[in-house]
Each structure stands twice: as structure tokens, then as C-alpha cells.
Amino acid sequence: MRSVNGTFEALGTTIFAVMSQLANEQGAINLGQGAPDDEGPEDLRRKAADAVIKGPNQYPPMMGVPELLKAVAAHDNRFYDLGVDAGSEVMVTAGATEALAASLMALLEPGDEAIVIEPAYDSYKPVIEAMGAKAVCVQLKAPEWKLDEEALARAFSDKTKLLVFNSPMNPTGRVFTKNELEAIAALVRKHDAYVICDEVYEHLIYQGHAHVPLMTLPGMRERCVKIGSAGKTFSLTGWKIGYITACEKLMGVIAKAHQFITFTIPPAFQYAVAWGLEQDDSYYKALAADLEKKRDLLTAGLREAGFDVIPAEGTYFVTTDIRALGYKGTDFEFCRELTTETKVAAIPISAFYAPESENVPETLIRFCFCKQPAALEEAAKRLKRVGQKVA
Ligand code: PMP
Ligand code: GLN
């Protein structure tokens, strides 16, 4: 038989699907995959349901329905003062996942290098490699997960086409500081590169931290592709509505990739998300405040159970070091046992590293806290037993 695409053939199934399947089989509380355990805001669901009945339900415009294009531009202008033009600088995609794939496909050519900061969300590297480009990884180190500016500088070369930058960051929970952003921007300008800014958690930010899009820094407006996700901003991960903001030149070519990946996105969800994005600031504040309470609840439970918790500044996730528990196996083995025996699912952080990467940590675990308080409390109770058992 003829060979198939080597990049995809070599891949396993994404860790999120693997752990969710195991959690379901085991009847475990799923603190693995990042998804809320409720149905999401009812007002948005009603808007989508009404839009399905009222229509239109045929192909919407390729870039997105005008209402959502305008709402994304208005959102970017309201929160970040980006001066976005809805007609030429916004596009709607099938979740941030498609936005990332379309952007990487549009910008990369064989022989290019793309810098990825590890631990990294698992969709970046396979798409980079499928384009014939090389992923160059730069690592952050727990527990601070701070950007190592010198290591980043060393990763750039004259082949560097782009950097994929995720802030607030999955899985570390970090919200990068202005100083870190400035260091990145300086290198990107110096090397005439682009940045794909994965900002799906832009509104999931906790007290003491602020999200600053890299695109707002001097000289970065034309170099950055900003990606958002209604899945995160409206706690409706199954809707798969993403959006891209980029200057007209970059958007033109990203749209060419999108036209042959999905072409268009279901209109009813687009109308509902447009309505959602126009909600006043109290919606966004309530979202972050609710998640902050859940973060605090799970953090306290994990600490009480003996886990070493690295505080989360944003996102759905908190990371922990299991060394303090005296566990002898790997993070993968720990997560498997935790799911089958303790009936709590979590994600091993080593899944966020390339197979060929060195110095991959094996004692770090990611827990997701966007769950009902009762589920978090029950999970904490079960986790306490793990602390006692290992210790
Ligand atoms: N980027 C990051 C960092 C994520 O955690 C996720 C997870 N959902 C995505 C992209 C994909 O988002 P979406 O569900 O909108 O495709
Ligand atoms: N982003 C989510 C997470 O990190 C999962 C998305 C997925 O399942 N691909 O858990």
C-alpha cells in the first residue's frame, strides 16, 4: 500500500479525548478536558434556537455573518482599542482549532521554522509539521512558568516565520506580563516574523492580572493574528465558533485557507454569539468572578489533599506537582490510576510536550475547575484519599 501523510499517521489520539473516554467509562468526575459541566447561558441558547427556526439556514457569507463580524470588531475595539475594521479584518471559523489551522496553513511554507512555547496546546505542532515547516520549541519551567527571554532569543533564526503565543496559557494558567510581551514583540520585530496569538481564554482572567493582546504593542498590529473562541467566552465549548482578527493583508490569505477547510460556519450560532459579544461589561465580569471562585475552591481542595498547587492566573486550569505526594510513577500513570481508582480524571502535563523534547516534566498534572461547586467539592474529597494513600 502507498504511504499516507506521515505527520498524521504518527500521531496518537489527543489526550483530551483519551482521558474523557476513560472518565466516562469509569464514571469519574472529569477534571481533565476543559469544558464546563453545565449547558451554558440560556439566553444565548434561546437566541440560537430562535435563529434556527427563523433562518436563514443556507450557506452564510464565507467570512461570517455581518452581525458577528461587526460584533467581533466592536469587541476588539471596546476591550483593546484595536481600531478593527469589520469588513476586512475579521473572520469566523469552526472554533479556535480551525482558526489556528487556517492561520498556520496560510502563513507557513516548507522549510520555515515556527516557534512553539512548551508546554503547548497539542494542535499547534502537527499542523506546523504537516505544512513542511519545523516546530522549534522553547520551554517554560514550573513552578513560575516564566518566559526565558534568552532561550526565546536563541530559538529565532533567519528561517523563523512565526511564533505561536498562547496567553492566558493552557495548561500553565499563566497570564503573561507586559514585560514578557515586550520581550516577545522586540524579537518578532527584529526578525520580521508573525505571531499567531491564541487568546481563547482572553476573558478568563483572575484578580491581579490583566490580558493585554500582543497585537496592541508597537509595531505588532500588522504582525499578529488574534484568535478568540466563543466556546470559552460563553461557556459553550460544543458550539465551535471561533474568530480571527488580523490586518487585511494577512486576513486575505487566511481566508483562502478557510474557504477550503470549512468555507462557512452554521449561521444560527453566529447570530447568537454576535448577541453575546455585545453584552455589557457585567457579563464578562460575572464570567471571570464565577470561575475565580471555582479556581479557589479546587485550589483549596487540592492543597488540603497534599498537592503542591501552582496558582492559576487565568484559564480553566490549575497545575499541580505530585512530587510532594511521594508518588513514584509518571504523570500518565498517575492520571490513569486517579481516573480508574479514585474516579477523578485529570491531564498529564507531559502530553503538552513534543515526543522529541528533552527535560519533559513527569510529575505535573493539570486539573480543570470550570465545574459545578458540588463536583469540585466531591472531587476534593476523593483526592484527599489519594494524598493519604500515597503518603
Ligand atoms: N487553544 C487553546 C489554548 C485551547 O485550550 C483550546 C481548547 N479548546 C483551543 C485553542 C480550541 O478552541 P475551540 O474549542 O474554540 O476550537
Ligand atoms: N482545550 C481543551 C483542553 O485543553 C480541550 C479541547 C479538546 O478536547 N481538543 O482541555
Side-chain angles (χ1 to χ4, degrees):
M1 291 284 276
R2 299 291 293 264
S3 62
V4 294
N5 180 284
T7 302
F8 292 105
E9 191 182 28
L11 287 177
T13 302
T14 153
I15 185 69
F16 310 114
V18 170
M19 290 311 297
S20 282
Q21 191 185 335
L22 188 63
N24 286 342
E25 283 164 12
Q26 294 290 325
I29 299 175
N30 192 353
L31 305 188
Q33 191 175 36
D37 61 351
D38 60 18
E39 286 303 327
E42 186 170 343
D43 44 10
L44 254 93
R45 289 189 281 127
R46 285 218 181 278
K47 291 277 170 201
D50 292 347
V52 168
I53 298 304
K54 186 162 153 272
N57 286 291
Q58 307 307 340
Y59 292 136
M62 186 184 96
M63 299 301 281
V65 303
E67 287 82 349
L68 183 51
L69 299 179
K70 281 188 205 134
V72 172
H75 163 277
D76 289 350
N77 297 338
R78 162 177 156 197
F79 287 103
Y80 313 122
D81 201 15
L82 277 166
V84 175
D85 174 40
S88 60
E89 296 187 308
V90 181
M91 187 172 77
V92 182
T93 56
T97 309
E98 194 226 336
L100 286 159
S103 303
L104 291 167
M105 288 169 79
L107 300 187
L108 289 172
E109 289 176 300
D112 284 344
E113 291 179 0
I115 299 175
V116 170
I117 301 177
E118 282 185 329
Y121 186 60
D122 65 350
S123 82
Y124 307 153
K125 198 165 161 276
V127 182
I128 290 168
E129 289 177 348
M131 294 309 296
K134 182 177 167 211
V136 176
C137 298
V138 176
Q139 294 186 347
L140 306 181
K141 297 234 168 342
E144 289 87 10
W145 300 120
K146 280 213 181 87
L147 186 73
D148 178 344
E149 290 171 25
E150 281 168 24
L152 183 63
R154 281 196 301 275
F156 276 87
S157 78
D158 55 5
K159 293 197 187 131
T160 305
K161 175 68 71 68
L162 59 85
L163 163 79
V164 184
F165 181 57
N166 173 214
S167 183
M169 189 188 190
N170 177 11
T172 65
R174 277 234 49 217
V175 178
F176 288 86
T177 62
K178 197 78 195 285
N179 282 346
E180 289 170 306
L181 298 184
E182 276 164 3
I184 294 171
L187 285 165
V188 167
R189 285 190 302 260
K190 180 173 159 200
H191 292 274
D192 188 21
Y194 298 111
V195 190
I196 297 183
C197 299
D198 181 344
E199 301 184 5
V200 299
Y201 299 103
E202 61 190 324
H203 292 293
L204 280 47
I205 298 269
Y206 311 123
Q207 265 179 50
H209 302 277
H211 173 60
V212 179
L214 194 62
M215 193 182 246
T216 61
L217 270 66
M220 298 303 283
R221 180 68 171 76
E222 316 284 304
R223 295 188 181 278
C224 290
V225 175
K226 180 184 187 309
I227 294 175
S229 169
K232 318 293 178 195
T233 297
F234 299 105
S235 313
L236 290 159
T237 59
W239 281 20
K240 297 299 289 185
I241 299 288
Y243 21 87
I244 302 180
T245 304
C247 67
E248 191 171 353
K249 178 170 164 263
L250 295 181
M251 187 55 86
V253 61
I254 297 168
K256 302 270 176 62
H258 165 75
Q259 72 183 341
F260 294 135
I261 304 176
T262 54
F263 178 46
T264 52
I265 307 301
F269 292 135
Q270 294 195 53
Y271 291 115
V273 170
W275 181 86
L277 284 170
E278 284 158 2
Q279 297 310 294
D280 60 29
D281 290 358
S282 61
Y283 168 79
Y284 294 90
K285 286 197 182 118
L287 171 77
D290 175 58
L291 282 167
E292 184 162 330
K293 270 196 227 138
K294 291 172 172 168
R295 173 200 65 171
D296 292 345
L297 188 60
L298 186 63
T299 299
L302 284 164
R303 287 212 167 110
E304 224 190 305
F307 286 78
D308 216 342
V309 182
I310 303 171
E313 302 167 348
T315 76
Y316 283 153
F317 311 112
V318 61
T319 54
T320 62
D321 195 330
I322 51 169
R323 247 179 324 190
L325 297 174
Y327 185 77
K328 297 286 181 294
T330 65
D331 57 349
F332 263 90
E333 288 159 355
F334 183 86
C335 287
R336 197 157 264 287
E337 278 173 39
L338 196 69
T339 310
T340 55
E341 290 171 25
T342 314
K343 308 289 181 200
V344 177
I347 302 286
I349 298 271
S350 61
F352 292 79
Y353 289 78
E356 60 277 15
S357 286
E358 288 170 8
N359 304 318
V360 177
E362 285 210 324
T363 60
L364 300 174
I365 309 287
R366 188 194 84 174
F367 288 91
C368 171
F369 53 76
C370 58
K371 308 288 172 180
Q372 308 284 332
L376 296 174
E377 278 159 12
E378 176 56 30
K381 219 189 279 172
R382 294 181 191 181
L383 290 166
K384 222 169 167 176
R385 295 202 290 269
V386 179
Q388 282 156 2
K389 197 175 90 191
V390 184

